[in-house]
Amino acid sequence: MTRKVLITTALLATMTVAKMYGDDPHYSFLDLSASSHIHSLGTVNISTVEDNIMTVDQNPGLLGSEMSNQLGISYMHYLNNINFGEVVFCHSIGINAAWQASIRYLNYGKIDSYDENGNALGRISPSDFVFSGGYTREFSETIRGGFLLKTIYSSYDEYWAMALGVDIGVNYYDIDRDLSLSAVISNLGGQVKRFDNEYNRLPVDVRLGWTQSFAQFPVRFSVTAFNLTKWHLPYIKPGDGSVNSQSKVIDNFGSNLLRHFIFGADIIPSDKFHFAIGYNYKTATDMASDNRNFISGFAVGAGLKIKDFNVDVSYSHPLSGASVLMLNLTLDFHR
């Protein structure tokens, strides 16, 4: 019993992350992007094509030999001393293939733990690690496909669990029209070592993405469909804050449809700089309160490229008192 209480206490730290990036607190951190650019486009994007190792974060099909010898470093600070980071490296295999390797870390800060009688057991610092390796091949001038194998290790005080997963992605890119279409199946796999007797599933998802710019207009638009393994995505709408107001469950056609889509846009005045903005209706509705809803779904960011060095930053404010700031640094050693 004590063991279950301790694990449940640790899992409470993941609830806010789960609300932002998924519905199930178990392994929801797998859906957290390490890319500032992706985060600024609404937290999920699988079709933005760039010569930057960080943008392949959610679609291994975007990896390419042009990213060879790139090193990417990511850091995010969230509320309650939650810290997230990743280091990723890529190298080419000939001119038509490439591999990548990465280490991801998520720490939920210090948490008080108790037994079933309410007695304090001290403080714990639950953490999750993901060790990944991937391969992508170019099948034609317009089509690439790849996979990313993940070993997932979770440590909650003296208890730990392990899982294996894989992401499979494909991308079609027409350089003449600057048109990108992608499809991804993420987090296939399962646990190989459990915390207890309960089996926790990985958050398997099917995603589709479209990104395109038009003529000389310096804006690139993106639409991403996610959570396609389930239609119903109900949420609780809070009251208006008055004494007699009550919250209610929203589960209608329009709401379910919008909660499957994320919209983003890149303003690109030059090949050295971009500004990005994204809107995630699911985040906006999940994080809504009686005095805040629409703004919760927005994220913004910017990127600057100086020779072999890239810096990207993103910012969002999903709920009152909680800001998300993410920073990426990318070094290109092959030029």
Side-chain angles (χ1 to χ4, degrees):
M1 182 66 177
T2 302
R3 181 177 183 173
K4 290 184 178 180
V5 172
L6 179 59
I7 294 171
T8 301
T9 303
L11 284 173
L12 290 176
T14 71
M15 290 300 182
T16 304
V17 176
K19 274 296 182 182
M20 277 194 67
Y21 304 104
D23 294 309
D24 190 340
H26 304 296
Y27 297 105
S28 61
F29 60 89
L30 294 175
D31 290 329
L32 176 59
S33 175
S35 168
S36 298
H37 195 177
I38 290 176
H39 183 260
S40 64
L41 290 172
T43 70
V44 180
N45 185 291
I46 62 169
S47 52
T48 294
V49 175
E50 287 190 342
D51 181 11
N52 189 325
I53 184 61
M54 299 306 300
T55 55
V56 311
D57 180 72
Q58 294 179 335
N59 182 3
L62 295 174
L63 188 69
S65 59
E66 71 277 5
M67 302 174 193
S68 184
N69 290 327
Q70 283 192 10
L71 175 69
I73 303 172
S74 175
Y75 173 75
M76 181 189 79
H77 177 73
Y78 198 38
L79 80 166
N80 196 30
N81 295 318
I82 296 176
N83 293 286
F84 168 80
E86 181 174 276
V87 177
V88 58
F89 180 77
C90 167
H91 196 275
S92 62
I93 305 174
I95 61 173
N96 295 319
W99 61 265
Q100 62 172 308
S102 64
I103 301 175
R104 174 176 296 196
Y105 169 72
L106 181 62
N107 179 271
Y108 300 96
K110 299 292 185 180
I111 300 174
D112 296 324
S113 62
Y114 304 87
D115 64 16
E116 67 272 21
N117 298 315
N119 299 314
L121 298 175
R123 307 194 78 188
I124 62 173
S125 184
S127 301
D128 295 303
F129 296 84
V130 183
F131 305 92
S132 303
Y135 172 83
T136 301
R137 183 169 184 81
E138 189 174 292
F139 299 104
S140 70
E141 292 183 355
T142 57
I143 298 176
R144 291 178 179 178
F147 62 86
L148 183 69
L149 299 175
K150 300 181 284 190
T151 299
I152 305 136
Y153 175 80
S154 299
S155 174
Y156 298 164
D157 195 41
E158 61 184 286
Y159 310 110
W160 62 279
M162 183 174 290
L164 299 176
V166 60
D167 296 345
I168 302 172
V170 62
N171 173 255
Y172 167 86
Y173 182 59
D174 183 339
I175 190 172
D176 294 328
R177 294 191 292 164
D178 194 24
L179 168 65
S180 174
L181 301 172
S182 291
V184 171
I185 302 175
S186 63
N187 303 319
L188 290 170
Q191 279 187 310
V192 295
K193 166 66 172 64
R194 308 178 186 184
F195 280 118
D196 205 353
N197 294 323
E198 181 181 356
Y199 179 80
N200 298 320
R201 297 181 180 274
L202 299 186
V204 178
D205 194 13
V206 175
R207 300 168 177 175
L208 301 174
W210 166 82
T211 298
Q212 187 173 9
S213 63
F214 299 91
Q216 302 302 314
F217 192 51
V219 180
R220 184 173 58 199
F221 300 96
S222 292
V223 179
T224 306
F226 71 125
N227 275 333
L228 298 183
T229 57
K230 51 189 173 184
W231 167 250
H232 290 280
L233 296 174
Y235 72 95
I236 298 176
K237 182 179 181 179
D240 58 12
S242 61
V243 175
N244 296 321
S245 66
Q246 295 183 343
S247 60
K248 61 180 179 178
V249 177
I250 305 297
D251 187 11
N252 55 50
F253 177 85
S255 171
N256 284 316
L257 180 64
L258 286 175
R259 281 166 64 82
H260 283 88
F261 286 93
I262 296 173
F263 305 92
D266 280 309
I267 302 172
I268 312 172
S270 76
D271 60 357
K272 303 296 183 182
F273 176 77
H274 76 264
F275 174 80
I277 184 170
Y279 182 70
N280 185 328
Y281 180 75
K282 185 177 185 300
T283 298
T285 48
D286 283 341
M287 296 296 181
S289 61
D290 59 355
N291 62 357
R292 178 188 179 89
N293 47 37
F294 186 71
I295 194 174
S296 297
F298 280 102
V300 295
L304 178 66
K305 183 176 182 180
I306 304 174
K307 295 184 178 180
D308 299 333
F309 179 80
N310 287 268
V311 58
D312 286 90
V313 63
S314 64
Y315 175 83
S316 64
H317 199 260
L319 69 161
S320 298
S323 298
V324 179
L325 180 66
M326 181 177 288
L327 175 68
N328 282 175
L329 301 175
T330 307
L331 297 174
D332 193 334
F333 294 103
H334 83 282
R335 294 179 183 175

